[in-house]
Amino acid sequence: MNNPVTLILARGGSKSIPLKNIKIFNRYPLIFWNITSAFLSNLFDNDNNHPNIFVSTDHEQIAKESIKSGAQVFYRSIQTATDTASSESAMIEFAKAHPEFDIIILLQCTSPLTSHEDIKKAYDKFIRLGADSLVSVTREHRFIWKEKEEDQTGFVDPQNYDPINRPRRQDWNGELIENGAIYICKRIGLLKYKSRLFGNITYYEMHPNTRFEIDEPNDWDIMEQLHKKMYLKNISN
């Protein structure tokens, strides 16, 4: 039995952008967009006409906006809503409270370019391959360097290519870079490994622009423009 649930983590203690999860982003609270994408994916309906889309939060205003946008609310504990608490701790708390779900799809508010098609295709691949977990990625044609750890000379070593035989872009598949938008995992594995990624891990490749996330105030305007061009066009088709 595959019974998926969408989980969106949205604590009230954001430091870089206060209450960013409900700050207005292209006319609606930021969290509205992830909830809408999950709803449009048609993966989360249940018999009670309440979509299996949950927002885990410790903040009453975020809870109100989430309900208004069509989600259910899971009130997380103080311990999982601190600055130092991991996302896994909040996921595990939710998983323990909701054993009726087999698969957890974690969406990140800071990635508003995630479309309903992304969610559906990522889930379909997860199921088709019989994976234990999935991570969303973008494909980057970037050469990675690392500082030499054994000295302070300032020298570096290449990590993913040979500078003497520098590949052309068209001859190189590039690197798969985690973009932080979508994670899918089996509930039983999350509880066992205390991690969102474990076992046989697959990936879902997203549009290169989805590598951008909203972390700092300067990201906001850039993401709104990308969102207008990509996401709003996508859902209007």
PDB file of all heavy atoms in Angstrom, residues 128-147:
ATOM      1  N   ARG A 128       8.059   3.848  -9.340  1.00  0.00           N
ATOM      2  CA  ARG A 128       8.444   2.988 -10.465  1.00  0.00           C
ATOM      3  C   ARG A 128       9.731   2.220 -10.177  1.00  0.00           C
ATOM      4  O   ARG A 128       9.854   1.037 -10.512  1.00  0.00           O
ATOM      5  CB  ARG A 128       8.608   3.830 -11.733  1.00  0.00           C
ATOM      6  CG  ARG A 128       8.904   3.008 -12.982  1.00  0.00           C
ATOM      7  CD  ARG A 128       8.977   3.864 -14.223  1.00  0.00           C
ATOM      8  NE  ARG A 128      10.164   4.704 -14.275  1.00  0.00           N
ATOM      9  CZ  ARG A 128      10.187   6.000 -14.091  1.00  0.00           C
ATOM     10  NH1 ARG A 128       9.060   6.657 -13.823  1.00  0.00           N
ATOM     11  NH2 ARG A 128      11.313   6.679 -14.159  1.00  0.00           N
ATOM     12  N   LEU A 129      10.694   2.889  -9.549  1.00  0.00           N
ATOM     13  CA  LEU A 129      11.977   2.256  -9.269  1.00  0.00           C
ATOM     14  C   LEU A 129      11.983   1.454  -7.971  1.00  0.00           C
ATOM     15  O   LEU A 129      12.945   0.735  -7.693  1.00  0.00           O
ATOM     16  CB  LEU A 129      13.080   3.317  -9.206  1.00  0.00           C
ATOM     17  CG  LEU A 129      13.383   4.070 -10.498  1.00  0.00           C
ATOM     18  CD1 LEU A 129      14.524   5.046 -10.278  1.00  0.00           C
ATOM     19  CD2 LEU A 129      13.716   3.115 -11.636  1.00  0.00           C
ATOM     20  N   GLY A 130      10.942   1.584  -7.178  1.00  0.00           N
ATOM     21  CA  GLY A 130      10.926   0.918  -5.888  1.00  0.00           C
ATOM     22  C   GLY A 130      12.004   1.458  -4.962  1.00  0.00           C
ATOM     23  O   GLY A 130      12.606   0.709  -4.181  1.00  0.00           O
ATOM     24  N   ALA A 131      12.242   2.765  -5.030  1.00  0.00           N
ATOM     25  CA  ALA A 131      13.306   3.396  -4.252  1.00  0.00           C
ATOM     26  C   ALA A 131      12.911   3.506  -2.777  1.00  0.00           C
ATOM     27  O   ALA A 131      11.726   3.425  -2.417  1.00  0.00           O
ATOM     28  CB  ALA A 131      13.622   4.779  -4.804  1.00  0.00           C
ATOM     29  N   ASP A 132      13.913   3.689  -1.941  1.00  0.00           N
ATOM     30  CA  ASP A 132      13.678   3.941  -0.523  1.00  0.00           C
ATOM     31  C   ASP A 132      13.574   5.437  -0.235  1.00  0.00           C
ATOM     32  O   ASP A 132      12.885   5.853   0.697  1.00  0.00           O
ATOM     33  CB  ASP A 132      14.810   3.354   0.322  1.00  0.00           C
ATOM     34  CG  ASP A 132      14.870   1.840   0.219  1.00  0.00           C
ATOM     35  OD1 ASP A 132      13.835   1.191   0.446  1.00  0.00           O
ATOM     36  OD2 ASP A 132      15.944   1.315  -0.106  1.00  0.00           O
ATOM     37  N   SER A 133      14.282   6.233  -1.024  1.00  0.00           N
ATOM     38  CA  SER A 133      14.238   7.686  -0.853  1.00  0.00           C
ATOM     39  C   SER A 133      14.627   8.360  -2.160  1.00  0.00           C
ATOM     40  O   SER A 133      15.195   7.731  -3.062  1.00  0.00           O
ATOM     41  CB  SER A 133      15.163   8.135   0.287  1.00  0.00           C
ATOM     42  OG  SER A 133      16.474   7.630   0.126  1.00  0.00           O
ATOM     43  N   LEU A 134      14.293   9.646  -2.248  1.00  0.00           N
ATOM     44  CA  LEU A 134      14.550  10.421  -3.468  1.00  0.00           C
ATOM     45  C   LEU A 134      14.975  11.830  -3.092  1.00  0.00           C
ATOM     46  O   LEU A 134      14.464  12.398  -2.126  1.00  0.00           O
ATOM     47  CB  LEU A 134      13.301  10.458  -4.349  1.00  0.00           C
ATOM     48  CG  LEU A 134      13.326  11.338  -5.604  1.00  0.00           C
ATOM     49  CD1 LEU A 134      12.503  10.705  -6.736  1.00  0.00           C
ATOM     50  CD2 LEU A 134      12.822  12.759  -5.332  1.00  0.00           C
ATOM     51  N   VAL A 135      15.886  12.384  -3.878  1.00  0.00           N
ATOM     52  CA  VAL A 135      16.342  13.758  -3.712  1.00  0.00           C
ATOM     53  C   VAL A 135      16.190  14.489  -5.039  1.00  0.00           C
ATOM     54  O   VAL A 135      16.473  13.936  -6.101  1.00  0.00           O
ATOM     55  CB  VAL A 135      17.810  13.798  -3.220  1.00  0.00           C
ATOM     56  CG1 VAL A 135      18.739  13.075  -4.192  1.00  0.00           C
ATOM     57  CG2 VAL A 135      18.283  15.228  -3.000  1.00  0.00           C
ATOM     58  N   SER A 136      15.712  15.731  -4.994  1.00  0.00           N
ATOM     59  CA  SER A 136      15.635  16.525  -6.220  1.00  0.00           C
ATOM     60  C   SER A 136      16.967  17.218  -6.463  1.00  0.00           C
ATOM     61  O   SER A 136      17.658  17.631  -5.523  1.00  0.00           O
ATOM     62  CB  SER A 136      14.504  17.556  -6.143  1.00  0.00           C
ATOM     63  OG  SER A 136      14.736  18.489  -5.104  1.00  0.00           O
ATOM     64  N   VAL A 137      17.324  17.345  -7.741  1.00  0.00           N
ATOM     65  CA  VAL A 137      18.623  17.887  -8.109  1.00  0.00           C
ATOM     66  C   VAL A 137      18.490  18.771  -9.342  1.00  0.00           C
ATOM     67  O   VAL A 137      17.493  18.737 -10.062  1.00  0.00           O
ATOM     68  CB  VAL A 137      19.642  16.765  -8.428  1.00  0.00           C
ATOM     69  CG1 VAL A 137      19.847  15.853  -7.230  1.00  0.00           C
ATOM     70  CG2 VAL A 137      19.195  15.955  -9.647  1.00  0.00           C
ATOM     71  N   THR A 138      19.518  19.562  -9.576  1.00  0.00           N
ATOM     72  CA  THR A 138      19.718  20.205 -10.871  1.00  0.00           C
ATOM     73  C   THR A 138      21.046  19.707 -11.421  1.00  0.00           C
ATOM     74  O   THR A 138      21.909  19.257 -10.673  1.00  0.00           O
ATOM     75  CB  THR A 138      19.744  21.743 -10.761  1.00  0.00           C
ATOM     76  OG1 THR A 138      20.763  22.141  -9.832  1.00  0.00           O
ATOM     77  CG2 THR A 138      18.398  22.268 -10.285  1.00  0.00           C
ATOM     78  N   ARG A 139      21.181  19.772 -12.726  1.00  0.00           N
ATOM     79  CA  ARG A 139      22.423  19.329 -13.357  1.00  0.00           C
ATOM     80  C   ARG A 139      23.280  20.569 -13.643  1.00  0.00           C
ATOM     81  O   ARG A 139      22.850  21.470 -14.358  1.00  0.00           O
ATOM     82  CB  ARG A 139      22.137  18.568 -14.649  1.00  0.00           C
ATOM     83  CG  ARG A 139      23.359  17.865 -15.241  1.00  0.00           C
ATOM     84  CD  ARG A 139      22.990  17.056 -16.463  1.00  0.00           C
ATOM     85  NE  ARG A 139      22.064  15.976 -16.142  1.00  0.00           N
ATOM     86  CZ  ARG A 139      22.431  14.763 -15.732  1.00  0.00           C
ATOM     87  NH1 ARG A 139      23.728  14.492 -15.587  1.00  0.00           N
ATOM     88  NH2 ARG A 139      21.530  13.838 -15.473  1.00  0.00           N
ATOM     89  N   GLU A 140      24.458  20.596 -13.071  1.00  0.00           N
ATOM     90  CA  GLU A 140      25.345  21.749 -13.182  1.00  0.00           C
ATOM     91  C   GLU A 140      26.638  21.375 -13.908  1.00  0.00           C
ATOM     92  O   GLU A 140      27.246  20.346 -13.595  1.00  0.00           O
ATOM     93  CB  GLU A 140      25.696  22.284 -11.791  1.00  0.00           C
ATOM     94  CG  GLU A 140      24.500  22.622 -10.912  1.00  0.00           C
ATOM     95  CD  GLU A 140      23.782  23.876 -11.352  1.00  0.00           C
ATOM     96  OE1 GLU A 140      24.406  24.683 -12.078  1.00  0.00           O
ATOM     97  OE2 GLU A 140      22.609  24.059 -10.985  1.00  0.00           O
ATOM     98  N   HIS A 141      27.001  22.181 -14.866  1.00  0.00           N
ATOM     99  CA  HIS A 141      28.283  22.001 -15.547  1.00  0.00           C
ATOM    100  C   HIS A 141      29.291  22.954 -14.911  1.00  0.00           C
ATOM    101  O   HIS A 141      29.657  23.993 -15.475  1.00  0.00           O
ATOM    102  CB  HIS A 141      28.130  22.254 -17.044  1.00  0.00           C
ATOM    103  CG  HIS A 141      27.364  21.179 -17.750  1.00  0.00           C
ATOM    104  ND1 HIS A 141      25.990  21.098 -17.701  1.00  0.00           N
ATOM    105  CD2 HIS A 141      27.782  20.118 -18.494  1.00  0.00           C
ATOM    106  CE1 HIS A 141      25.594  20.043 -18.399  1.00  0.00           C
ATOM    107  NE2 HIS A 141      26.661  19.433 -18.890  1.00  0.00           N
ATOM    108  N   ARG A 142      29.723  22.601 -13.726  1.00  0.00           N
ATOM    109  CA  ARG A 142      30.645  23.419 -12.947  1.00  0.00           C
ATOM    110  C   ARG A 142      31.830  22.571 -12.524  1.00  0.00           C
ATOM    111  O   ARG A 142      31.678  21.423 -12.104  1.00  0.00           O
ATOM    112  CB  ARG A 142      29.947  23.970 -11.700  1.00  0.00           C
ATOM    113  CG  ARG A 142      28.704  24.801 -11.982  1.00  0.00           C
ATOM    114  CD  ARG A 142      29.052  26.161 -12.521  1.00  0.00           C
ATOM    115  NE  ARG A 142      27.864  26.979 -12.727  1.00  0.00           N
ATOM    116  CZ  ARG A 142      27.891  28.224 -13.166  1.00  0.00           C
ATOM    117  NH1 ARG A 142      29.056  28.800 -13.441  1.00  0.00           N
ATOM    118  NH2 ARG A 142      26.778  28.896 -13.349  1.00  0.00           N
ATOM    119  N   PHE A 143      32.987  23.169 -12.587  1.00  0.00           N
ATOM    120  CA  PHE A 143      34.186  22.487 -12.131  1.00  0.00           C
ATOM    121  C   PHE A 143      34.414  22.813 -10.655  1.00  0.00           C
ATOM    122  O   PHE A 143      34.405  23.978 -10.257  1.00  0.00           O
ATOM    123  CB  PHE A 143      35.395  22.910 -12.960  1.00  0.00           C
ATOM    124  CG  PHE A 143      35.293  22.514 -14.420  1.00  0.00           C
ATOM    125  CD1 PHE A 143      35.539  23.438 -15.423  1.00  0.00           C
ATOM    126  CD2 PHE A 143      34.944  21.222 -14.775  1.00  0.00           C
ATOM    127  CE1 PHE A 143      35.445  23.080 -16.755  1.00  0.00           C
ATOM    128  CE2 PHE A 143      34.844  20.853 -16.107  1.00  0.00           C
ATOM    129  CZ  PHE A 143      35.093  21.780 -17.098  1.00  0.00           C
ATOM    130  N   ILE A 144      34.621  21.785  -9.869  1.00  0.00           N
ATOM    131  CA  ILE A 144      34.721  21.930  -8.414  1.00  0.00           C
ATOM    132  C   ILE A 144      36.178  21.814  -7.977  1.00  0.00           C
ATOM    133  O   ILE A 144      36.905  20.905  -8.396  1.00  0.00           O
ATOM    134  CB  ILE A 144      33.870  20.858  -7.713  1.00  0.00           C
ATOM    135  CG1 ILE A 144      32.395  21.002  -8.128  1.00  0.00           C
ATOM    136  CG2 ILE A 144      34.006  20.974  -6.195  1.00  0.00           C
ATOM    137  CD1 ILE A 144      31.507  19.883  -7.639  1.00  0.00           C
ATOM    138  N   TRP A 145      36.573  22.742  -7.113  1.00  0.00           N
ATOM    139  CA  TRP A 145      37.928  22.758  -6.561  1.00  0.00           C
ATOM    140  C   TRP A 145      37.857  22.710  -5.048  1.00  0.00           C
ATOM    141  O   TRP A 145      36.884  23.162  -4.447  1.00  0.00           O
ATOM    142  CB  TRP A 145      38.673  24.027  -7.014  1.00  0.00           C
ATOM    143  CG  TRP A 145      38.936  24.059  -8.490  1.00  0.00           C
ATOM    144  CD1 TRP A 145      38.067  24.400  -9.477  1.00  0.00           C
ATOM    145  CD2 TRP A 145      40.154  23.721  -9.134  1.00  0.00           C
ATOM    146  NE1 TRP A 145      38.661  24.296 -10.705  1.00  0.00           N
ATOM    147  CE2 TRP A 145      39.959  23.885 -10.523  1.00  0.00           C
ATOM    148  CE3 TRP A 145      41.410  23.299  -8.682  1.00  0.00           C
ATOM    149  CZ2 TRP A 145      40.954  23.647 -11.460  1.00  0.00           C
ATOM    150  CZ3 TRP A 145      42.411  23.061  -9.614  1.00  0.00           C
ATOM    151  CH2 TRP A 145      42.178  23.221 -10.987  1.00  0.00           C
ATOM    152  N   LYS A 146      38.912  22.187  -4.439  1.00  0.00           N
ATOM    153  CA  LYS A 146      38.977  22.093  -2.991  1.00  0.00           C
ATOM    154  C   LYS A 146      40.330  22.565  -2.495  1.00  0.00           C
ATOM    155  O   LYS A 146      41.370  22.212  -3.070  1.00  0.00           O
ATOM    156  CB  LYS A 146      38.743  20.641  -2.538  1.00  0.00           C
ATOM    157  CG  LYS A 146      38.667  20.473  -1.028  1.00  0.00           C
ATOM    158  CD  LYS A 146      38.367  19.019  -0.670  1.00  0.00           C
ATOM    159  CE  LYS A 146      38.271  18.836   0.839  1.00  0.00           C
ATOM    160  NZ  LYS A 146      37.996  17.425   1.201  1.00  0.00           N
ATOM    161  N   GLU A 147      40.310  23.358  -1.435  1.00  0.00           N
ATOM    162  CA  GLU A 147      41.561  23.819  -0.838  1.00  0.00           C
ATOM    163  C   GLU A 147      42.332  22.641  -0.254  1.00  0.00           C
ATOM    164  O   GLU A 147      41.740  21.720   0.310  1.00  0.00           O
ATOM    165  CB  GLU A 147      41.267  24.827   0.271  1.00  0.00           C
ATOM    166  CG  GLU A 147      40.645  26.119  -0.213  1.00  0.00           C
ATOM    167  CD  GLU A 147      40.243  27.012   0.935  1.00  0.00           C
ATOM    168  OE1 GLU A 147      39.708  26.489   1.937  1.00  0.00           O
ATOM    169  OE2 GLU A 147      40.455  28.235   0.825  1.00  0.00           O
TER     170      GLU A 147
END
